[in-house]
């Protein structure tokens, strides 16, 4: 038996989480370092996976397969394809920065818990982050539907506590109201996602029923289902396939989130601390869009095609609606949340355009949106921690007193509006062109976001960073070394992947060809074969 | 030799990186580093130019492939350069004028504590602009296109602590982004039509594509060009862009970046040639803008805004010429180059005047400055003669050619376009004479004492030398270009060349141009030279008042776009909170009959609720499995 690299990659943060939680109350700093070390080790392992992965090789590599709940055909099956590989790498990459940026996030909770020594907020905060990381990584690697489902659902628990238990130190409406809104946000997050999960569970069971019925033995294995379909042994009735598709899609559309199921995200991102908001939007939500690509298209190709017109309209509504709402926000973090909703619309659009450019673009979009939102949100968090307010109107003229902070914020903003030269441009243009080549009208509507994104980013920058220096920001310190250590590598990566994205496209492209062959789609041919 | 092409972009890019990331250590030397790298790029350009001249006209284009940028299936975007005669012309203009303006800025920005950053941005602009004109495909061009937009944004808003500057920079970026939609769609259309967006294959296969597709591509390219080149209807940002430091106005908002739209149209000539409809729209935009900009230029008392109106108008001439097809492309570029000299010179002159007048821009408070700033006066005066088309100076040759080509379009269109161009020439002479008289002649209208006292003086050498060089270019370039039609033949391999046949002789048209010029100068002199100029602007006629407000463009945008947009976003924010959120929550609640529980949740029984949901999930799972078993 070969070395179970994938299991170990997911296990390291899980073990790290337990170890961090076990650190005694008095040794808070040690817990932080331990968590950081665990996340860095995970990053190293993820890098090893990327290096070992052969883009030209099998669809799923480094596979592991063990019987688990044999009564129901559930197996512990892991495997990595190009899409899962880059998303796992994104997760492993972002977590150390989330931890580093959140270094002082539990302090407020520590103060509240000062009288009660049983509750150790610092240990809890970092352990929960690592727990989420472990579950997200497993989700990207699981090739058994049930295994995926378990972790897809289980990650709600640590996230619920991260949102509800740790908020920004200062709330514009006072500590008590802040606490009330935090628990409202946490519950809303939980309810929405549980509702999606319940419906998905029904569909998961339905899938088992169908496979058991047609293959004689129920299975959740992606490979087994694909093989059976290729051999003609599995042929779902049209209505069954559509119902199952809807069950899966609903859960992913809440997680991603797609209009009109998006309203939990602004609450969750607004009330949690900036690093947790990054964890939600840059990492966890990607499981939703990833799962659309892998499970909706892979398991239910016919139904996916059937649903495409509606999904594309919903994606377009998300793109425009999210951007317009971002323009109308007065709260920095909620603005970024609505911008994310617009961006998730792009990802879904790319997935359902069902072209090479759309799929590669959507996958790169997941990675690039993760990095760019991390920069923008984390710098916003640094800004908010200095002034103790999330309201845009409370800032003004910051660039004069903290030019590096303003500069990095601007870079994050420019990435968010997909400026060429930064990574998100590559993915956004690929999604646009991939959509346009099959659905020209949808492609044209989506380009309107080019202007709207510039509007919400530049208005945000103008109101917070330019103009007269407000008294309240007069003594604002510039970025500290720890904060610079968070932002600088991410910005370097944005530039690198904007100018030279080829290392990523080389990994993703072959996987995308597999997905396209699942749905039996070919790229539209050009009108004229130009002299090449 | 090809390997040098990348260095053209690389040198200023290096400068930008070093200056922007280098920190305060470079505050004392950074500006010289920036200037040296701009000059290095110019020298490389010259070497390549000399090499190019040594080869046969048809063998002059050079290519350099650096690496594959975005490869996904048939979508292939490369970082690859193409240096042909058209690109070469731009390279020399950009790096030449760019270097002069770097030099000028050393003096102009001397007392600004953020001078290092200013030079970093200027270097960034050069790199992006060179990328724009050297790209061998439309997507890489788009990279440069947005890159210059970023540099322009950063430089217009360089004095960010001024709200007006921050607002102007945001406006410029946004209006440009509207145009960028056009470029994005054009690239996508090319991809679906030709399967590629590299210049060579696209432009060589236009014959095989349907005219409807080509018209669509052409119109989308024109939309992009309107944004970048401040053409109607996307012109509103250029006047506000004058909030930027004056060297920026000279380099970016007069000589180079704003002409990128013309580059785009001329580069895509094969597409427009195949679509007369698209061409008609191009000439219409050009003719409307050349009159629009000229009228606005007449009413402004702010010297930079008057010049900005003039820039719009002159680019309108170029757009008109570019829309005429092969009879106009070469003249569009020729006017672009001569305009680059004289308009950059005029802006630097304006900057020099402001430098001596405590940054006052109101021409009504100038007057008689020729005594105090002789070098500025002479160089500005030569630029003035060049722009109004004084016979023998550069603007005369290039503008006359465009007017001729406009008439040569033939039929009613030819007469209308030609007349617009002639009328524009008269108005140009009028508003430029007005600027000249208000600034350098007549009584001195500034205050000599008190807190607002002005002490006009000539600018330092680092500023006057670039002005002198540009003045020499303004005087001589046209003559050199016109010698044996050297410029037209130089571009011929790229733009093709057809000689137009105007309905009257070339001499008649030239005479008409000169008459128009004399009328314009005479009217301005009668109005401002013979009568005293009030320091406070008179109320003016309806047209004057409208022109002062840029012919109500901002009012129009405000009513049609800004206000409805605000209502829309505000309405949606309300809707999202009350309706979408409420509907989804309500549906969920009514499904489970959970509204009572929802109330408990909000009372704080959060955990019990979560537990009960989990309990429900387990129950459901158990029930379903049980059903199967039964």
């Amino acid at each position: 038996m070969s070395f179970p690299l994938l299991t170990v990659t997911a296990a390291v943060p899980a073990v790290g989480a337990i170890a961090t939680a076990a650190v005694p109350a008095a040794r808070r700093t040690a817990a932080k370092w331990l968590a950081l070390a665990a996340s860095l080790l995970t990053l190293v392992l993820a890098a090893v996976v990327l290096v070992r992965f052969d883009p030209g090789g099998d669809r799923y590599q480094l596979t592991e397969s063990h019987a688990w709940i044999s009564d129901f055909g559930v197996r512990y099956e892991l495997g990595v394809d190009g899409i899962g590989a880059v998303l796992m790498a994104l997760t492993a990459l972002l977590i150390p920065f989330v931890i580093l940026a959140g270094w002082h996030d539990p302090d407020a909770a520590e103060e509240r818990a000062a009288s009660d020594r049983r509750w150790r907020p610092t240990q809890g905060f970092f352990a929960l982050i690592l727990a989420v990381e472990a579950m997200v990584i497993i989700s990207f690697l699981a090739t058994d539907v049930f295994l995926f489902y378990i972790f897809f659902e289980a990650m709600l628990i640590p996230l619920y506590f991260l949102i509800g238990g740790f908020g920004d130190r200062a709330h514009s409406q006072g500590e008590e109201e802040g606490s009330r809104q935090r628990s409202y946000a946490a519950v809303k997050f939980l309810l929405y996602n549980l509702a999606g999960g319940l419906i998905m569970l029904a569909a998961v069971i339905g899938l088992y029923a169908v496979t058991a019925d047609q293959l004689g033995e129920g299975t959740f294995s992606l490979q087994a289902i694909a093989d059976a379909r290729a051999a003609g042994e599995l042929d779902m009735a049209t209505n069954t396939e559509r119902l199952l598709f809807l069950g899966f899609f609903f859960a992913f559309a809440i997680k991603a989130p797609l209009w009109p199921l998006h309203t939990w995200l602004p609450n969750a991102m607004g009330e949690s601390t900036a690093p947790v908001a990054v964890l939600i939007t840059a990492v966890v939500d990607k499981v939703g869009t990833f799962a659309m690509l892998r499970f909706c298209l892979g398991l239910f190709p016919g139904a996916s095609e059937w649903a495409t017109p509606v999904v594309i309209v919903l994606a377009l509504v998300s793109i425009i609606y999210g951007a317009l709402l971002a323009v109308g926000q007065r709260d920095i973090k909620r603005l970024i949340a609505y911008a994310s909703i617009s961006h998730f619309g792009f990802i879904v659009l790319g997935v359902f355009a069902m072209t090479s450019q759309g799929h590669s673009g959507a996958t790169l979009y997941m990675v690039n949106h993760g990095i760019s939102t991390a920069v923008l949100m984390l710098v916003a968090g640094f800004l908010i921690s200095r002034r103790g307010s999330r309201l845009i109107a409370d800032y003004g003229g910051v660039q004069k007193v903290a030019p590096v902070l303003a500069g990095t914020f601007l870079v994050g903003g420019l990435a968010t509006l997909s400026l060429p030269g930064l990574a998100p441009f590559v993915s956004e243009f690929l999604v646009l062109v991939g959509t346009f080549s099959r659905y020209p009208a949808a492609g044209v509507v989506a380009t309107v976001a080019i202007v709207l994104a510039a509007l919400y980013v530049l208005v945000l920058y103008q109101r917070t960073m330019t103009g007269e220096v407000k008294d309240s920001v007069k003594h604002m310190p510039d970025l500290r070394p720890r904060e610079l250590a968070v932002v600088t590598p991410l910005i370097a990566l944005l530039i690198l992947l904007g100018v030279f994205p080829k290392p990523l496209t080389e990994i993703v492209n072959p996987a995308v060809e597999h997905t396209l062959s699942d749905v039996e789609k070919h790229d539209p041919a050009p009108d004229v074969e130009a002299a090449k | 030799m090809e390997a040098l092409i990348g260095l053209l972009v690389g040198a200023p890019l290096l400068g930008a990186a070093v200056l922007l990331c280098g920190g305060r250590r470079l505050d004392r030397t950074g500006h010289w580093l920036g200037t040296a790298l701009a000059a290095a790029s110019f020298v490389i350009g010259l070497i390549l130019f000399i090499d190019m001249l040594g080869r046969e006209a048809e063998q002059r284009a050079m290519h350099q492939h650096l690496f594959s940028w975005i490869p996904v299936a048939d979508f292939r975007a490369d970082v690859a350069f193409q240096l042909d005669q058209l690109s070469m012309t731009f390279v020399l203009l950009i790096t030449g004028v760019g270097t002069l303006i770097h030099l000028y800025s050393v003096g102009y920005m001397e007392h600004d504590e953020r001078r290092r950053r200013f030079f970093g941005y200027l270097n960034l602009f050069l790199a992006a602009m060179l990328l724009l004109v050297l790209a061998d495909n439309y997507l890489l061009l788009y990279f440069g296109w947005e890159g210059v937009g970023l540099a322009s944004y950063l430089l217009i808003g360089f004095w960010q602590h001024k709200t007006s500057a921050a607002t102007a920079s945001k406006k410029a970026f946004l209006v440009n982004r509207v145009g960028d939609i056009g470029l994005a769609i054009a690239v996508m259309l090319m991809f679906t039509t030709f399967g590629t967006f590299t210049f060579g294959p696209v432009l060589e296969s236009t014959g095989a594509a349907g005219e409807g597709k080509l018209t669509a591509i052409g119109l989308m390219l024109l939309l992009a060009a309107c944004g970048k080149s401040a053409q109607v209807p996307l012109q509103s940002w250029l006047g506000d862009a004058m909030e930027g430091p004056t060297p920026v106005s000279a380099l970016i908002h007069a000589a180079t970046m704003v002409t990128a739209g013309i580059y785009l149209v001329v580069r895509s000539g094969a597409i427009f040639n195949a679509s007369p409809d698209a061409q008609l729209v191009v000439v219409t935009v050009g003719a409307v803008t050349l009159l629009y900009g000229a009228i606005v230029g007449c009413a402004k008392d702010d010297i930079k805004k008057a010049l900005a109106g003039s820039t719009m108008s002159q680019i309108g001439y170029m757009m008109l010429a570019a829309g005429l097809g092969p009879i106009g492309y070469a003249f569009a570029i020729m006017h672009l180059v001569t305009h680059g000299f004289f308009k950059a010179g005029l802006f630097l002159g304006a900057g020099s005047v402001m430098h001596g007048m405590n940054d006052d821009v109101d021409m009504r408070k100038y007057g008689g400055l020729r005594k105090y700033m002789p070098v500025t006066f002479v160089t500005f005066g030569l630029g003035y003669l060049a722009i109004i088309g004084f016979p023998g100076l550069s603007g005369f040759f290039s503008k006359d050619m465009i007017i001729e080509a406009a008439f040569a379009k033939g039929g009613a269109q030819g007469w209308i376009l030609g007349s617009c161009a002639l009328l524009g020439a008269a108005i140009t002479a009028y508003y430029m004479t007005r600027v000249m008289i208000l600034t350098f002649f007549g009584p001195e209208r500034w205050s000599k004492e008190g807190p607002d006292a002005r002490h006009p003086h000539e600018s330092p050498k680092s500023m006057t030398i670039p002005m002198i060089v540009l003045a020499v270019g303004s005087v001589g370039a046209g003559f050199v270009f016109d010698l044996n039609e050297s410029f037209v033949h130089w571009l011929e391999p790229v733009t093709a060349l057809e000689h137009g046949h105007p309905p009257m002789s070339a001499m008649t048209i030239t005479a008409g141009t000169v008459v128009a010029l004399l009328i314009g100068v005479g009217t301005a002199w009668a109005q401002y030279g013979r009568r005293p100029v009030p320091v406070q602007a008179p109320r003016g006629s309806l047209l004057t008042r409208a022109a002062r407000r840029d012919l109500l463009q901002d009012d129009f945008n405000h009513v049609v776009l800004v206000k409805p947009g605000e209502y829309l976003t505000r309405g949606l924010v309300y809707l999202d909170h009350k309706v979408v959120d409420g509907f989804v929550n309500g549906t969920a609640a009514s499904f489970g009959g959970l509204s009572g529980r929802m109330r408990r949740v909000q009372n704080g029984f959060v955990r019990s609720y979560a537990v009960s949901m989990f309990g429900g999930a387990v129950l459901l799972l158990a029930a379903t499995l049980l059903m199967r078993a039964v």
Side-chain angles (χ1 to χ4, degrees), chain B residues 34-54:
Chain B
T35 310
L37 285 167
S41 197
F42 178 60
V43 171
I44 298 168
L46 275 182
I47 295 171
L48 285 162
F49 178 58
I50 292 165
D51 176 70
M52 190 180 262
L53 285 180

Side-chain angles (χ1 to χ4, degrees), chain B residues 417-459:
Chain B
L417 296 173
S419 313
C420 287
L422 259 186
L423 180 61
I427 308 178
T428 306
Y430 171 82
Y431 69 72
M432 281 311 300
T433 308
R434 175 175 174 269
V435 169
M436 198 68 198
I437 293 174
L438 286 179
T439 307
F440 292 104
F441 293 93
E444 299 162 5
R445 294 183 297 275
W446 69 85
S447 37
K448 313 247 162 153
E449 48 207 47
D452 285 336
R454 305 277 184 256
H455 309 284
H457 55 84
E458 189 54 274
S459 297

Side-chain angles (χ1 to χ4, degrees), chain A residues 151-446:
Chain A
F151 287 99
F152 181 77
E153 283 296 89
M155 69 178 84
L156 299 181
I157 303 166
L159 279 167
Y160 167 77
F161 289 110
L162 280 172
I163 297 169
F166 304 87
D168 285 331
R169 185 187 290 267
H171 196 280
S172 55
Q173 289 152 305
E175 180 59 34
E176 197 175 323
E177 175 65 13
S179 162
R180 203 191 70 79
Q181 292 199 2
R182 260 202 305 282
S183 40
Y184 175 72
V187 171
K188 194 171 176 184
F189 160 82
L190 194 64
L191 287 186
Y192 269 68
N193 284 282
L194 270 182
L198 276 180
I199 292 177
M200 182 179 165
L201 178 62
V204 168
I205 295 165
L207 180 70
Y208 176 82
V210 169
T211 52
D213 185 40
Q214 295 199 6
L215 304 177
E217 193 179 340
T219 179
F220 291 109
S221 162
L222 283 179
Q223 194 65 55
I225 292 173
D227 290 345
R229 176 175 281 126
E233 292 162 13
L234 181 70
D235 186 19
M236 292 183 208
T238 311
N239 280 334
T240 315
E241 191 191 351
R242 288 179 184 175
L243 277 176
L244 294 181
F245 167 86
L246 287 177
F248 278 75
F249 184 78
F250 186 70
F252 303 150
I254 287 179
K255 187 82 89 187
L258 199 63
W259 186 90
L261 304 170
H262 62 277
T263 54
W264 65 268
L265 186 70
N267 286 88
M269 282 177 72
E271 297 306 325
S272 53
T273 70
V276 174
V278 170
L279 191 68
I280 296 170
T281 189
V283 178
V284 171
D285 288 351
K286 298 296 154 30
V287 180
T289 42
F290 162 81
M292 286 183 196
L293 199 51
R294 174 170 283 178
F295 298 106
C296 287
L297 267 55
L299 291 173
F300 317 111
S304 298
E305 195 171 356
W306 161 75
T308 295
V310 176
V311 176
I312 288 207
V313 169
L314 289 179
L316 288 176
V317 173
S318 286
I319 292 171
I320 306 292
Y321 185 90
L324 283 174
L325 268 127
V327 174
Q329 295 303 311
R330 293 180 300 166
D331 174 322
I332 300 175
K333 283 158 90 182
R334 288 178 67 92
L335 187 152
I336 299 172
Y338 278 105
S340 285
I341 290 167
S342 178
H343 290 141
F344 286 126
F346 269 104
I347 299 174
V348 175
L349 189 65
V351 169
F352 280 83
M354 302 199 197
T355 53
S356 308
Q357 293 82 33
H359 281 181
S360 286
T363 308
L364 293 188
Y365 212 122
M366 294 183 221
V367 176
N368 296 338
H369 169 261
I371 304 172
S372 66
T373 306
V375 173
L376 190 63
M377 190 51 134
L378 292 179
V379 179
F382 300 150
L383 181 72
I384 291 167
S385 70
R386 283 162 165 70
R387 168 74 177 76
S389 167
R390 287 162 20 199
L391 295 181
I392 295 170
D394 285 345
Y395 297 87
V398 173
Q399 60 90 22
K400 192 97 178 168
V401 290
V404 179
L405 189 153
T408 50
F409 193 65
L410 183 61
V411 175
L414 293 172
T416 302
L417 60 79
S418 297
L419 190 83
L422 299 173
F425 169 75
V426 174
S427 39
E428 186 159 305
F429 201 84
L430 281 173
V431 167
L432 283 173
V433 86
T435 307
F436 185 87
S437 61
R438 204 181 291 285
Y439 309 104
V444 170
V445 172

